[in-house]
Amino acid sequence: MCSKEVVVENQIGLHARPATFFIQKANEFKSSVWVEKEERRANAKSLLGVLSLGIMGGTKIKIIAGGSDEKEAVEALANLVESGFSD
């Protein structure tokens, strides 16, 4: 199990379009991936799950992965969040 805490840099947080980018990136990996806000955890590969956390800009989240490519998954998702979801 691998995890990393990051702060959501974009102003609107993980809503609609940024959440879709996040989920698409999470689905590139074989590992199980979760996103955690405070004490609530959701499947990072589920749009409904991610949106249900209500992650706003400036919020600290934890990205957690478990599986064969867990380190790569956590790093890729952390980089995406830290970049503000820009390429």
Side-chain angles (χ1 to χ4, degrees):
M1 197 76 74
C2 184
S3 68
K4 183 174 183 175
E5 285 191 354
V6 294
V7 174
V8 178
E9 297 294 337
N10 65 325
Q11 293 181 3
I12 62 169
L14 270 174
H15 291 281
R17 193 169 182 187
T20 301
F21 292 147
F22 187 82
I23 292 153
Q24 287 172 342
K25 182 60 75 176
N27 277 299
E28 292 177 10
F29 299 95
K30 294 177 185 168
S31 295
S32 297
V33 186
W34 300 274
V35 61
E36 190 172 88
K37 175 188 162 196
E38 297 161 357
E39 297 298 316
R40 295 179 57 212
R41 183 183 285 193
N43 182 343
K45 297 181 179 184
S46 162
L47 182 60
L48 187 58
V50 172
L51 292 177
S52 73
L53 295 177
I55 299 168
M56 303 298 290
T59 302
K60 187 187 299 184
I61 61 171
K62 184 185 277 188
I63 300 166
I64 306 158
S68 60
D69 53 1
E70 62 189 30
K71 289 179 183 171
E72 295 88 350
V74 168
E75 283 305 311
L77 289 167
N79 290 340
L80 180 65
V81 171
E82 291 171 339
S83 75
F85 299 91
S86 60
D87 292 329

